[in-house]
């Protein structure tokens, strides 16, 4: 069975997911239920806020962690890099979540004033699951791509 450690993830797997938005004259409500639109069990929730202008967060990848990031207030940019291709996504809607798969390097910047980044994660915090060195991440990502069955070359 494919596991997060053996699966080959790319930036194309980092999908924007629309969450339900319930609106009435009192305002809007968005809810998130485990496994409903989210392809993992939520094990941890954290949020990033009061980010000084010009600051950058993240700058790392995870071996097997899935996350969903939501701009519950304000906006910020998420730069994704799977070691081969890069893509940037602006998050600015509280009813939109960006899935980030394992083995995708992410940098978050351009935080607006008052921005809050809510993160839902598939596992508890574990520093040993981080790649915090880009060159090391790139070596592992390249190896995984080369050894993946979809990359088999037949002569
Ligand atoms: C990610 C981006 C979006 C904890 O103790 N528990 C936690 O759950 C987290 C996420 C962090 N920490 C500690 C570890 C560091 O001492 O908080 C400190 C700051 O963490 P870090 O530098 O990793 O924060 P960011 O904003 O650079 O990255 C975080 C997540 O680590 C990361 O997975 O994708 O937010």
């Amino acid at each position: 069975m494919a596991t997060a450690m053996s699966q080959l993830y790319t930036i194309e797997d980092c999908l924007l997911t629309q969450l339900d938005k319930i609106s009435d004259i009192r305002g809007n409500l968005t809810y998130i239920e485990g496994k409903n639109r989210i392809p993992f069990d939520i094990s941890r929730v954290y949020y990033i806020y009061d980010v000084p202008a010009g600051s950058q967060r993240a700058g790392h990848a995870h071996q097997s962690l899935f996350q969903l990031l939501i701009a519950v207030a304000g906006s910020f940019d998420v730069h994704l890099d799977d070691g081969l291709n890069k893509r940037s996504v602006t998050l600015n809607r509280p009813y939109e979540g960006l899935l980030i798969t394992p083995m995708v390097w992410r940098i978050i910047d351009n935080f607006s004033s008052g921005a809050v980044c809510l993160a839902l994660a598939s596992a508890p915090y574990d520093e040993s699951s981080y790649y915090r060195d880009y060159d090391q991440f790139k070596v592992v990502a390249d190896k995984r791509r080369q050894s993946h069955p979809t990359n088999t070359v037949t002569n």
Side-chain angles (χ1 to χ4, degrees):
M1 194 178 81
T3 64
M5 297 290 273
S6 62
Q7 184 81 26
L8 188 64
Y9 291 105
T10 75
I11 54 169
E12 302 308 323
D13 299 307
C14 296
L15 300 173
L16 261 185
T17 303
Q18 299 297 309
L19 304 166
D20 281 338
K21 178 168 111 174
I22 302 175
S23 303
D24 62 35
I25 55 168
R26 300 167 299 168
N28 301 323
L29 181 153
T30 289
Y31 62 89
I32 299 164
E33 292 177 343
K35 285 212 167 153
N36 182 3
R37 313 235 176 126
I38 303 177
F40 57 84
D41 283 327
I42 301 163
S43 169
R44 175 168 51 110
V45 176
Y46 63 90
Y47 37 99
I48 298 166
Y49 52 98
D50 288 348
V51 178
S55 281
Q56 178 177 295
R57 305 284 314 202
H60 50 244
H62 293 274
Q63 285 168 23
S64 57
L65 187 76
F66 290 84
Q67 296 199 88
L68 189 86
L69 301 187
I70 304 165
V72 289
S75 65
F76 48 82
D77 296 337
V78 185
H79 307 284
L80 304 168
D81 174 353
D82 57 23
L84 191 62
N85 294 304
K86 297 181 184 189
R87 182 162 75 93
S88 296
V89 179
T90 298
L91 291 183
N92 54 12
R93 297 188 177 102
Y95 52 88
E96 217 168 59
L98 176 67
L99 176 71
I100 308 188
T101 66
M103 294 306 291
V104 170
W105 189 269
R106 83 290 312 260
I107 291 172
I108 309 175
D109 64 10
N110 199 23
F111 285 86
S112 69
S113 167
V116 179
C117 172
L118 177 70
L120 312 178
S122 65
Y125 176 72
D126 176 10
E127 182 56 38
S128 70
S129 80
Y130 282 70
Y131 291 103
R132 289 193 185 267
D133 178 89
Y134 185 79
D135 292 339
Q136 189 201 358
F137 159 74
K138 180 89 170 74
V139 167
V140 176
D142 288 349
K143 264 195 200 145
R144 283 170 72 140
R145 219 174 358 262
Q146 282 155 14
S147 63
H148 197 265
T150 58
N151 199 34
T152 305
V153 178
T154 48
N155 292 315

